[in-house]
Amino acid sequence: NKLREMYLHQNGVFGDFPPDIGLMEDLQDLRVHENEMWGYLPDTFWKLTKMKKLWLQDTLDCELDEADEVKCMRSPDKGFQGSISPEVGNMKKLSQLLLNNNPFTGVLPAELGLCKELSRLHVHQTFITGVVPNEICLLRDEELFDHTGQIGVFYADCRPNNKTQDPYISCDCCSDCCDHTHGVCVADD
């Protein structure tokens, strides 16, 4: 229960997201990016009120090639799935939420605006759709600053998809808009 930081990134972790992580009430920093993990985040996970940094981005899809060597690449089609629970608002100390390159779906919950210390939000290369709630845009306008005084970073798939289709997300406050198909992001300040 007393674990505050867990860094498992680029560790070859394979499998479902461990449901017991949601019971680690003192957890403040969880980095499991660049592993071959998948599954739904447990309901208890969104109740981690001390969480400050949550890095789940860049889930890998690994396969054996013809020479029996493991080859891994990022894939927005494999990895963590489901939607971001409105209970994310319980994580009021959250400063970094990186979810990109995962098949998350649904919309960004307005309750994310309760995370007043949020300075980095990456939801590009996901299947999150809809309009970014005003509560999140207000964070960018008023509070989305890191501790150096720089404006915060908010990446989303708000560029026309494949240059011809509607963007996944409609956003007036993203710092960088990405094309979901091509993965190209352009500053939109």
Side-chain angles (χ1 to χ4, degrees):
N1 263 357
K2 298 298 179 191
L3 185 69
R4 291 187 307 210
E5 298 175 351
M6 184 182 296
Y7 299 160
L8 298 173
H9 59 284
Q10 298 177 333
N11 249 330
V13 178
F14 175 86
D16 285 327
F17 189 84
D20 291 345
I21 287 180
L23 302 176
M24 297 177 168
E25 59 192 36
D26 289 323
L27 193 59
Q28 298 175 17
D29 191 342
L30 176 62
R31 301 180 194 196
V32 296
H33 58 289
E34 296 184 47
N35 283 299
E36 195 174 7
M37 296 181 75
W38 56 79
Y40 294 89
L41 300 179
D43 291 338
T44 56
F45 182 78
W46 302 107
K47 293 178 169 72
L48 295 173
T49 60
K50 296 179 182 178
M51 184 67 71
K52 294 179 181 179
K53 295 179 182 177
L54 178 55
W55 293 14
L56 303 178
Q57 81 275 20
D58 298 332
T59 299
L60 300 176
D61 183 20
C62 301
E63 297 179 356
L64 285 176
D65 66 9
E66 295 166 358
D68 284 336
E69 293 182 22
V70 177
K71 298 291 181 188
C72 297
M73 58 189 294
R74 293 180 184 141
S75 173
D77 299 321
K78 304 275 180 164
F80 300 111
Q81 57 189 328
S83 59
I84 301 171
S85 171
E87 291 191 48
V88 70
N90 293 326
M91 297 178 166
K92 296 189 187 322
K93 296 180 180 184
L94 192 64
S95 65
Q96 298 180 12
L97 179 60
L98 285 66
L99 304 175
N100 51 295
N101 285 311
N102 279 292
F104 284 108
T105 56
V107 298
L108 288 174
E111 291 82 358
L112 193 55
L114 297 172
C115 303
K116 299 295 184 187
E117 297 181 27
L118 193 62
S119 64
R120 287 180 69 193
L121 176 59
H122 291 191
V123 294
H124 58 294
Q125 296 289 290
T126 66
F127 297 100
I128 294 172
T129 59
V131 177
V132 174
N134 192 44
E135 293 84 350
I136 296 172
C137 289
L138 288 174
L139 278 181
R140 166 125 164 107
D141 294 343
E142 297 172 13
E143 300 289 337
L144 191 58
F145 291 93
D146 65 20
H147 299 290
T148 64
Q150 299 293 317
I151 235 172
V153 177
F154 177 15
Y155 282 76
D157 289 333
C158 50
R159 289 188 59 120
N161 188 34
N162 202 18
K163 298 182 183 177
T164 60
Q165 302 166 6
D166 289 337
Y168 278 45
I169 292 181
S170 176
C171 181
D172 292 330
C173 60
C174 294
S175 62
D176 295 75
C177 286
C178 307
D179 177 328
H180 180 85
T181 301
H182 294 288
V184 175
C185 299
V186 176
D188 195 37
D189 289 326

